[in-house]
Amino acid sequence: MNQTTSVQRLLNIMNTLRDPEHGCPWDKEQTFATIAPYTLEETYEVLDAIARNDFHDLRDELGDLLFQVVFYARMADEQNLFNFDDVCNAISDKLERRHPHVFDSETVYNSQEVIAGWEKRKGKERAEKEQFSVLDDIPDALPALMKAYKIQKRCASVGFDWDTLGPVLDKVHEEIDEVMHEAQQAVIDQSKLEEELGDLLFATVNLTRHLGHKAESALQVANRKFDRRFRLVEQIVQQSGKTLEQATLDEMEAAWQQVKLQEHQQQP
């Protein structure tokens, strides 16, 4: 089956599912708003398959994500807004427009120049949409760490950024001090404490960015590491004849240190 045929098959299936007379009752009831949570779920399942290096699963998850696009396009077509071809043409036009060094005569010599040109063209596109702030088109629905990264990167693109690591690290220490100041008050103002915790997280995202990483990805790595280690702690405690509820904090901490030691010994 060639690519055109496989895509058309998927579009035909979608049309059948939404058919007013013979379609699926559940699919016919869906709207843009009701499908949106599934899109987010499918996106995370794609990322999970990548993290696990499970490419068979990745193929299936990408199919699920593609189906979300087809679903939106079908609902839009029913309302005479746009169709699947319009979606494909829109991204094709954008990619060609944002890569003049590939599809036109512009010359670049490295990826930094590509990124600079990309940001310049995106700025022009925002102006055409009457989005005059460099932050205008950052989605509110992004996960908070990812949104913080995008805000900082966008500000850095216009020069609003530290050019050395020292002030970035100083800001993290400053925000830690401010968190502790609020946390140690006789009467804690919870809204103020939350604000300072947010500032600390924002500063930490900035430190992560300056070190060449994304906080969202780094935290996912930390989550997986903690998950792996804690499951081993559970096994050690269970082998001792206790449940986690019966074990003391010192016993669980000893098991945790044992797991860390085993990991370090296994490293090349």
Side-chain angles (χ1 to χ4, degrees):
M1 183 179 294
N2 62 42
Q3 187 174 4
T4 301
T5 304
S6 60
V7 171
Q8 190 57 55
R9 179 189 177 200
L10 178 58
L11 293 173
N12 290 340
I13 290 172
M14 184 72 258
N15 293 346
T16 301
L17 291 173
R18 291 280 293 185
D19 183 87
E21 293 186 20
H22 306 293
C24 169
W26 186 88
D27 289 280
K28 290 190 295 182
E29 293 173 355
Q30 301 314 303
T31 65
F32 292 107
T34 62
I35 289 297
Y38 296 100
T39 307
L40 185 60
E41 180 181 332
E42 298 299 350
T43 300
Y44 281 119
E45 289 180 359
V46 166
L47 298 178
D48 181 65
I50 293 171
R52 292 184 283 106
N53 285 319
D54 188 336
F55 295 105
H56 181 274
D57 199 18
L58 177 59
R59 179 202 63 188
D60 292 346
E61 298 300 347
L62 285 170
D64 291 342
L65 186 57
L66 175 59
F67 182 67
Q68 300 295 302
V69 177
V70 169
F71 212 138
Y72 289 122
R74 177 57 192 173
M75 291 187 291
D77 196 7
E78 293 166 358
Q79 299 177 41
N80 295 317
L81 300 173
F82 56 83
N83 59 30
F84 184 75
D85 283 343
D86 295 327
V87 173
C88 294
N89 287 328
I91 185 59
S92 295
D93 291 344
K94 181 185 292 184
L95 289 171
E96 290 179 351
R97 184 172 65 250
R98 291 186 176 177
H99 293 81
H101 53 289
V102 176
F103 299 103
D104 206 340
S105 58
E106 183 176 299
T107 301
V108 296
Y109 297 98
N110 53 54
S111 58
Q112 287 75 23
E113 291 185 5
V114 171
I115 294 171
W118 181 279
E119 292 297 340
K120 183 177 180 179
R121 282 181 286 276
K122 286 173 67 176
K124 182 179 179 182
E125 290 171 8
R126 286 193 294 271
E128 291 172 350
K129 295 178 182 178
E130 296 187 350
Q131 297 174 332
F132 296 108
S133 170
V134 296
L135 306 179
D136 271 345
D137 61 345
I138 298 177
D140 285 336
L142 282 176
L145 290 179
M146 191 180 299
K147 184 173 182 181
Y149 174 86
K150 278 190 168 290
I151 289 172
Q152 293 167 5
K153 188 177 178 184
R154 194 68 65 79
C155 291
S157 72
V158 294
F160 191 71
D161 194 17
W162 284 300
D163 55 7
T164 61
L165 193 59
V168 180
L169 187 58
D170 290 342
K171 187 64 175 176
V172 173
H173 290 306
E174 175 188 328
E175 297 300 347
I176 292 174
D177 291 340
E178 292 182 3
V179 166
M180 295 312 300
H181 173 75
E182 292 299 329
Q184 293 169 347
Q185 296 299 307
V187 178
I188 297 176
D189 182 336
Q190 293 296 338
S191 63
K192 181 62 176 175
L193 179 57
E194 182 181 46
E195 179 183 340
E196 296 299 347
L197 285 167
D199 289 345
L200 174 58
L201 287 169
F202 193 85
T204 304
V205 170
N206 201 29
L207 174 62
T208 307
R209 181 179 64 86
H210 273 265
L211 291 172
H213 291 270
K214 294 182 178 180
E216 188 79 22
S217 301
L219 186 55
Q220 288 289 4
V221 170
N223 287 341
R224 288 192 292 271
K225 181 171 68 175
F226 185 92
D227 182 284
R228 181 183 68 250
R229 288 178 173 178
F230 190 77
R231 290 175 189 274
L232 292 172
V233 167
E234 288 178 313
Q235 293 177 18
I236 292 172
V237 171
Q238 289 167 1
Q239 289 166 3
S240 73
K242 294 183 177 181
T243 65
L244 288 178
E245 290 76 13
Q246 294 169 335
T248 66
L249 178 58
D250 287 343
E251 288 171 330
M252 287 189 283
E253 176 62 23
W256 181 268
Q257 294 302 325
Q258 180 182 335
V259 169
K260 289 179 62 177
L261 178 61
Q262 290 172 350
E263 285 187 353
H264 292 153
Q265 290 174 341
Q266 291 170 358
Q267 291 176 354

